[in-house]
Structures are given as C-alpha cells and as structure tokens.
Amino acid sequence: MIEYRTTPDGLTDEALKGFFVGWPNPPSPRTLRRILQGSYAVVVAVDAETGKAVGFINAVSDGVLSAYIPLLEVLPPYQKKGVGSKLTALMLERLEGLYMIDLACDPHLEAFYRKLGFTPSTAMIRRDYAAQAGRAG
C-alpha cells in the first residue's frame, strides 16, 4: 500500500535512495531531503510496508499568483501504476487557487502531463551541470 504524505519529515537518507535515474550528476539522498524541506509544497509517496519513498513531487511558489513544479520522480518499479498521476493530482489540489502552475518536461512526458490538464507552452531553460555536480553531496 502506498501512503501519500505532505511532508518529508521522518524520511532517512536510506528511504530516499534510488531517485534521479539517468541523471548525469544525481542529487544525493541528503540533498533530496534538503530540496523537499525547502520547497513550498511537497507530496511524497511512501511504501507503507518498507517505509521507503517511492515517488515525490515538489513545488516552489510565491504563494499568491504562481507556482513551478520542478521535480516529479517515481522509482522505476512503481512507474506505470498511477503513482505519478496521484502525486500530481494531490499537488494540484495543494496549489489550487493559484493563477499559474508551470512545469517543464521532456517531450516524451508531454502526453502524461496533458492527461493531467497541462497544455504545451514554450519555455527557456539553463543548466549548470558543473555547479549541480558540486552540490550533489
């Protein structure tokens, strides 16, 4: 059974291992915990039997007009089982009332987000992989 929590409290580094599959410099579990703690809103999917996080979503926001969803991650064994959709739906409930809720995604994820009510738009991004690698620990 999957529990959905609105706080990362009580999750250990061990419980946060395995995310960011395929990233060139994946954040460590310690860094992930800091990301979640510093976010405006989070929802974490936790396997009730093991206590391990199996997915999460976070948002940064001004709390008035806009929010941005930078991360939605689901561990590979839990993908295609509705966890990502549930995490997103719960986050959208938490952000209800804001004028704009934006995210950027790779093209192969557009269909997933369309099903959840998002529409394609143009975005600009900048990545500093060297700086991110220095903060991965």
Side-chain angles (χ1 to χ4, degrees):
M1 178 173 170
I2 304 295
E3 297 175 347
Y4 293 88
R5 302 178 184 174
T6 57
T7 175
D9 294 349
L11 292 173
T12 64
D13 287 354
E14 188 64 33
L16 293 170
K17 282 187 177 177
F19 290 104
F20 306 105
V21 174
W23 282 47
N25 299 308
S28 69
R30 178 178 172 263
T31 299
L32 172 55
R33 187 170 353 97
R34 289 178 51 221
I35 290 167
L36 297 175
Q37 290 170 335
S39 296
Y40 174 80
V42 300
V43 182
V44 183
V46 178
D47 183 314
E49 291 181 25
T50 65
K52 179 157 179 53
V54 300
F56 69 88
I57 188 170
N58 73 315
V60 294
S61 176
D62 56 26
V64 178
L65 182 72
S66 62
Y68 177 71
I69 297 173
L71 298 170
L72 168 62
E73 292 275 330
V74 177
L75 294 178
Y78 293 85
Q79 292 175 2
K80 309 275 189 224
K81 297 182 179 183
V83 175
S85 295
K86 179 73 171 180
L87 286 166
T88 305
L90 291 169
M91 180 57 75
L92 292 175
E93 284 178 20
R94 297 205 54 207
L95 301 175
E96 190 172 347
L98 296 177
Y99 168 71
M100 59 184 171
I101 302 168
D102 299 335
L103 60 83
C105 68
D106 292 332
H108 72 278
L109 295 171
E110 285 183 13
F112 170 79
Y113 287 110
R114 278 181 200 250
K115 288 188 291 185
L116 298 170
F118 289 86
T119 57
S121 183
T122 301
M124 300 297 293
I125 65 171
R126 179 179 170 188
R127 301 287 188 260
D128 185 345
Y129 293 108
Q132 192 268 327
R135 289 190 293 267

